[in-house]
Amino acid sequence: QVQLVESGGGLVQAGGSLRLSCAASGRTFSTYAMGWFRQAPGKEREFVAAINWSGRTSSYADSVKGRFTISRDNAMNTVYLQMNSLKPEDTAVYNCAARPGSQYSGSYYYTEDYEYDYWGQGTQVTVSS
């Protein structure tokens, strides 16, 4: 069983920055592909960013490309989402997700929520205009 705990959310003005963290349990974090998703009120969950098990490759939704950066520290069992130039439309609950056993997938990352096995409880990000 993998447990994921997000932190770093909060209230920020438009144009500001936040860094989200997702701490994972387990001794095999370095084999997990990781992703960030978000869900705004009244909307479906959407993909934000993904990173492969080694951290060499990543992918972003068009809406956040150039503003958000996903990274990971396998020694700390943590994945991060640096969010810059935040906009009111970025307001949502942000969840991280893990897919263990991805070390055999090479540089592949996963952008669909059904491809992940474990989810955190989420952290609220609110961007005021």
Side-chain angles (χ1 to χ4, degrees):
Q1 190 75 10
V2 176
Q3 292 185 327
L4 304 173
V5 179
E6 300 98 334
S7 61
L11 173 64
V12 64
Q13 288 187 333
S17 299
L18 284 173
R19 187 175 83 155
L20 305 184
S21 300
C22 173
S25 66
R27 293 179 290 179
T28 57
F29 176 77
S30 62
T31 71
Y32 304 170
M34 300 295 295
W36 285 97
F37 292 78
R38 67 187 182 186
Q39 187 166 19
K43 295 187 177 181
E44 293 189 353
R45 182 163 57 193
E46 65 174 354
F47 166 73
V48 175
I51 192 166
N52 83 316
W53 66 275
S54 67
R56 285 191 174 184
T57 58
S58 58
S59 178
Y60 299 90
D62 288 343
S63 59
V64 307
K65 202 170 292 184
R67 300 187 297 123
F68 291 11
T69 303
I70 188 171
S71 62
R72 65 189 298 157
D73 184 338
N74 286 346
M76 297 295 291
N77 280 21
T78 302
V79 65
Y80 304 97
L81 185 68
Q82 178 67 43
M83 306 186 295
N84 299 328
S85 302
L86 283 161
K87 304 175 181 179
E89 52 262 44
D90 294 318
T91 295
V93 174
Y94 284 70
N95 295 88
C96 67
R99 179 183 169 116
S102 296
Q103 69 273 28
Y104 306 110
S105 302
S107 61
Y108 198 77
Y109 43 73
Y110 301 89
T111 61
E112 301 290 341
D113 56 4
Y114 64 80
E115 296 177 300
Y116 288 90
D117 302 306
Y118 299 98
W119 292 81
Q121 83 290 348
T123 186
Q124 175 70 46
V125 171
T126 303
V127 184
S128 63
S129 58

